[in-house]
Amino acid sequence: MLRNAFRPYHVYFLSFTWLFVQLILFSRYGVKIVFDSHRYIQHATEMAVQHHLVWDRNILYIGYTALLALFLKLQLPFEAVVVFQSLLSGVAACCLYALAQRLTGRWQAAFTATLAYVAWPDLQAWNFYIHTDALFCSILTIYTYVLLKAQKVRQLLLAAPLLGWLLFLRPNGIVIGVATFFYLLFLLKHYSQSIFRRVAVGASVVFILLAGFSFNRILHNIFSLISIYQGGSLFGGHPFGAVTSSAPLYIPAATAPLWQQLLLFIGHNPFYFTKLFVLKFIVFFAQIKPYYSAIHNISIILFIYPAYLLAWLGIKKTILSQPQRLFFLIVIGLQATIAAATLPDWDNRFIVPLLPGIFLLAAIGIPVGRQLGVPSSVRPAQVSQGKP
């Protein structure tokens, strides 16, 4: 009874919550320019002022630096950038609500997923950083909505510009490319087994070659993984829980190709690498940090951990089609794997793009009574079956 009485006002409540959180966070953070911000700003300045594109490591972030260059060209302050990022998070919230409503047919699920998204400060705070994280999170949420709601090929094509933006916003945009490839492949399988068999092998070979080439270029342009592995840090340089080895580590020659250095290091130090990888994987999802306050860590445990449990229940619901389920699993699993295999997630920013999807799955996973169940006639059959 109370839920039905609240229904006409729940969207207003979400809007007010989003606006309130944005104003509170803006008053606290203003415009946050941190370590990586300076190189983004420098690269953007080269484009906007000197009309010159520098082909250095920042080219992998051109989807963001080009946006900064546009604001610089228009002589707008960085406050305008964070306002843009904040407004885009509002658009993403609308898309998250619409996707949850479309998948479940329940406004309660849409409300829950969206409220978690707009109210969790560890996610929304990134709107006020001159950094790629907020934009990547918002565009990914919008892209997921456009991709998963598409029922025809021309509707799928609408998602292409957003995918292109994600691929060049930051290097781990490749995760979304991988997830999209398998989503479309299994969508094709559901649509036509014969076409799927003809396309799958050739497309997979081409995709693996492109993904391998892209990953190799990313390694060349960003950092040395070997030096990161040697440190054994789980928290980005913080000594707490750092992994050590009882025997001297084998360090491959720096002149060898980077992919070869990785294989040699892992092959000669298998137990050390496995321990480091597994612990970083756990730390990635745990999110609590030794340098966070007790209140911050307790909030994560009380809010995020139940969301994980509900998301696990949600991913198993038949309300999701096989391609949709695979898309979420690949995005979450591959992002966590890359974080565990590369840089420690010092400030939980690597998990930020995953949180809207986790909140969506958690809302789907919330047990509901029979009276709140969605009749099959109400559900969009084509979407639930994954047909284009």
Side-chain angles (χ1 to χ4, degrees):
M1 196 72 176
L2 184 60
R3 280 193 295 258
N4 290 332
F6 180 63
R7 182 173 185 175
Y9 308 103
H10 75 281
V11 173
Y12 298 111
F13 180 80
L14 289 174
S15 301
F16 173 80
T17 302
W18 172 82
L19 181 60
F20 178 75
V21 170
Q22 301 305 307
L23 292 175
I24 291 295
L25 292 174
F26 182 71
S27 67
R28 177 178 179 180
Y29 292 106
V31 178
K32 292 287 289 185
I33 296 178
V34 291
F35 180 75
D36 282 336
S37 306
H38 296 287
R39 59 187 181 87
Y40 300 149
I41 293 169
Q42 182 180 359
H43 198 252
T45 303
E46 291 277 354
M47 286 190 282
V49 178
Q50 302 181 27
H51 307 288
H52 176 60
L53 182 60
V54 180
W55 287 85
D56 57 10
R57 59 181 292 197
N58 295 303
I59 202 70
L60 297 171
Y61 303 86
I62 194 170
Y64 189 67
T65 57
L67 178 70
L68 292 182
L70 175 62
F71 279 86
L72 291 174
K73 192 71 176 175
L74 296 174
Q75 298 183 340
L76 295 173
F78 288 125
E79 284 79 4
V81 177
V82 300
V83 168
F84 173 78
Q85 292 178 166
S86 175
L87 291 174
L88 200 61
S89 77
V91 176
C94 295
C95 290
L96 182 63
Y97 181 96
L99 182 57
Q101 174 75 35
R102 187 179 186 86
L103 290 174
T104 66
R106 294 186 291 112
W107 69 268
Q108 296 93 337
F111 171 79
T112 302
T114 310
L115 180 62
Y117 171 74
V118 301
W120 185 234
D122 278 7
L123 188 158
Q124 296 297 331
W126 288 101
N127 292 334
F128 305 98
Y129 283 71
I130 302 300
H131 228 281
T132 61
D133 301 276
L135 198 63
F136 190 85
C137 180
S138 296
I139 297 300
L140 175 57
T141 306
I142 297 168
Y143 171 74
T144 302
Y145 166 70
V146 174
L147 181 71
L148 299 192
K149 82 178 183 67
Q151 298 181 13
K152 298 179 181 179
V153 173
R154 66 173 177 269
Q155 293 174 333
L156 285 172
L157 294 176
L158 294 175
L162 292 173
L163 176 59
W165 197 357
L166 287 168
L167 290 173
F168 291 99
L169 259 178
R170 53 192 300 175
N172 64 334
I174 192 174
V175 169
I176 315 306
V178 173
T180 301
F181 172 80
F182 284 101
Y183 173 77
L184 296 177
L185 197 61
F186 278 79
L187 205 63
L188 182 61
K189 178 185 178 182
H190 207 80
Y191 179 75
S192 172
Q193 290 282 350
S194 59
I195 297 177
F196 170 79
R197 284 192 293 269
R198 290 198 297 268
V199 169
V201 176
S204 297
V205 170
V206 172
F207 175 78
I208 290 171
L209 292 174
L210 288 174
F213 174 79
S214 301
F215 183 68
N216 188 53
R217 295 312 305 165
I218 290 170
L219 288 179
H220 274 280
N221 282 278
I222 297 188
F223 41 69
S224 170
L225 288 179
I226 304 301
S227 61
I228 294 171
Y229 294 159
Q230 284 181 264
S233 175
L234 301 178
F235 299 98
H238 194 279
F240 182 83
V243 177
T244 58
S245 176
S246 57
L249 294 174
Y250 172 84
I251 307 300
T255 54
L258 290 179
W259 64 269
Q260 193 176 94
Q261 291 183 44
L262 289 177
L263 293 179
L264 287 171
F265 183 90
I266 295 170
H268 285 82
N269 310 291
F271 297 109
Y272 174 85
F273 176 81
T274 301
K275 182 179 179 181
L276 180 63
F277 178 89
V278 170
L279 289 176
K280 285 170 67 177
F281 194 91
I282 294 171
V283 166
F284 176 81
F285 283 108
Q287 295 194 48
I288 57 176
K289 309 292 184 187
Y291 37 82
Y292 282 1
S293 68
I295 293 176
H296 193 172
N297 282 327
I298 291 171
S299 299
I300 290 171
I301 293 170
L302 295 179
F303 182 73
I304 295 295
Y305 290 10
Y308 287 157
L309 175 60
L310 290 171
W312 176 248
L313 297 176
I315 200 71
K316 298 189 291 184
K317 290 284 186 73
T318 56
I319 200 170
L320 294 173
S321 68
Q322 183 189 34
Q324 291 168 347
R325 187 177 297 109
L326 192 63
F327 178 82
F328 285 114
L329 285 174
I330 291 176
V331 170
I332 295 171
L334 191 54
Q335 175 74 350
T337 300
I338 289 176
T342 55
L343 295 171
D345 195 2
W346 166 262
D347 44 15
N348 288 335
R349 67 188 182 93
F350 295 156
I351 202 171
V352 162
L354 305 184
L355 291 179
I358 290 172
F359 294 153
L360 171 64
L361 294 173
I364 293 173
I366 295 175
V368 292
R370 174 172 288 183
Q371 74 275 14
L372 294 177
V374 185
S376 58
S377 59
V378 177
R379 296 178 185 171
Q382 284 185 313
V383 173
S384 64
Q385 294 173 3
K387 293 184 179 180

